[in-house]
Amino acid sequence: PRPDAAGDGRMHALAAVALLASVRVLAPSRPSSYAIVHDMADVAPALAEASVNAVLWRREAPCAPLIPGLRAGDEHLEASLGDALRGEGALEWASQPDLDPVMRADMTALLRVFARAASVLDLSPRVRPSDRVCMRLLSAWTGAGPRCPRYHEDKVRLRMVCAYTGEGTAWLPERPGRRLGMAASRPLVGSPSAGNLAVCAPWEAPLLARRGDALFLKGTRWAAGGRGAIHRSPDPPPEPVLRALYSVDIR
């Protein structure tokens, strides 16, 4: 092969990605694939809609942008769904001994909201009180770049994410051709920005959760043949910040 054959192949792949994006963006969107609610009681009914794979609970941030006692770290906790429903005890993060009690209490409250929603949804397989709920608190400086820069689906039944500092998660409504674009982007492993063009064109802005919002995302395991919500980490801000992301999921 010619010395520049690999480069030509990459250019052809990028051209195909751009073409897919331009064709897809002309098609009408499907607003019914997501819902934005402003009351905690509306989260579960919105998620119960079969066509909906993302629900944003728009709410005021419970903490100030600079959270007292927040440290860089990455910690995982687990609890049974039954215990999460009962709200027994506050979450204790060993890596965050001086964490603001307001944030600590809010994470416990969000865990209960998540557990209630998961317990009434028609998930497959059906959830049981003994099922494990996984929690994660990741606080990291954004200067290293986004942690998950590519658009993707989560391999879980249901996940909730909330950014207490920094931007929230970016996600996309369903649109004809979007899934085809995701498939076309997979060969471009080393170029997240180029791959993302197949999923979301530059002139199409993704939806973005604000600081403090709770975003509920169905994953690929939420039902047989289920389509998980397509999302990625937000673009990093000009100046590095300590971004604190809390996630809860049932796998």
Side-chain angles (χ1 to χ4, degrees):
R2 293 181 293 110
D4 60 345
D8 287 348
R10 184 171 182 78
M11 290 299 295
H12 291 157
L14 290 174
V17 164
L19 178 61
L20 280 169
S22 64
V23 170
R24 177 202 35 71
V25 81
L26 296 175
S29 61
R30 298 175 179 176
S32 61
S33 68
Y34 71 93
I36 298 177
V37 302
H38 296 85
D39 192 291
M40 177 181 65
D42 296 328
V43 171
L47 282 169
E49 294 292 332
S51 62
V52 169
N53 60 17
V55 172
L56 179 73
W57 176 16
R58 185 75 81 187
R59 63 188 199 129
E60 293 297 325
C63 310
L66 296 176
I67 298 177
L70 179 65
R71 303 178 181 181
D74 186 3
E75 187 173 351
H76 299 254
L77 298 176
E78 282 193 13
S80 70
L81 180 67
D83 286 345
L85 279 168
R86 290 186 289 271
E88 295 181 351
L91 299 178
E92 296 295 337
W93 303 94
S95 63
Q96 305 286 348
D98 304 315
L99 188 64
D100 182 4
V102 174
M103 178 176 169
R104 193 185 299 273
D106 189 70
M107 286 191 289
T108 302
L110 284 180
L111 173 61
R112 287 198 296 270
V113 174
F114 176 90
R116 289 175 190 145
S119 66
V120 300
L121 289 179
D122 186 20
L123 299 176
S124 178
R126 296 287 295 180
V127 296
R128 299 166 298 176
S130 59
D131 283 352
R132 306 305 291 174
V133 177
C134 303
M135 295 145 280
R136 182 184 187 185
L137 178 57
L138 172 64
S139 51
W141 291 96
T142 58
R147 189 171 183 87
C148 298
R150 298 180 69 93
Y151 283 112
H152 64 282
E153 306 166 274
D154 289 329
K155 295 180 180 180
V156 299
R157 284 182 278 178
L158 183 66
R159 174 167 289 165
M160 184 221 68
V161 290
C162 175
Y164 285 93
T165 58
E167 291 283 2
T169 299
W171 92 97
L172 298 170
E174 292 293 330
R175 192 185 290 277
R178 181 103 61 205
R179 302 282 165 171
L180 182 61
M182 285 188 67
S185 73
R186 291 191 184 107
L188 301 174
V189 176
S191 181
S193 58
N196 286 344
L197 285 176
V199 188
C200 180
W203 53 88
E204 181 190 12
L207 300 168
L208 187 66
R210 303 181 310 195
R211 184 177 68 86
D213 288 344
L215 178 61
F216 294 77
L217 303 166
K218 290 178 180 176
T220 56
R221 296 174 180 167
W222 75 272
R227 290 185 168 188
I230 300 172
H231 62 286
R232 64 169 174 83
S233 298
D235 295 328
E239 296 295 329
V241 298
L242 185 59
R243 181 173 184 251
L245 186 70
Y246 174 52
S247 62
V248 184
D249 63 61
I250 185 165
R251 302 179 183 182

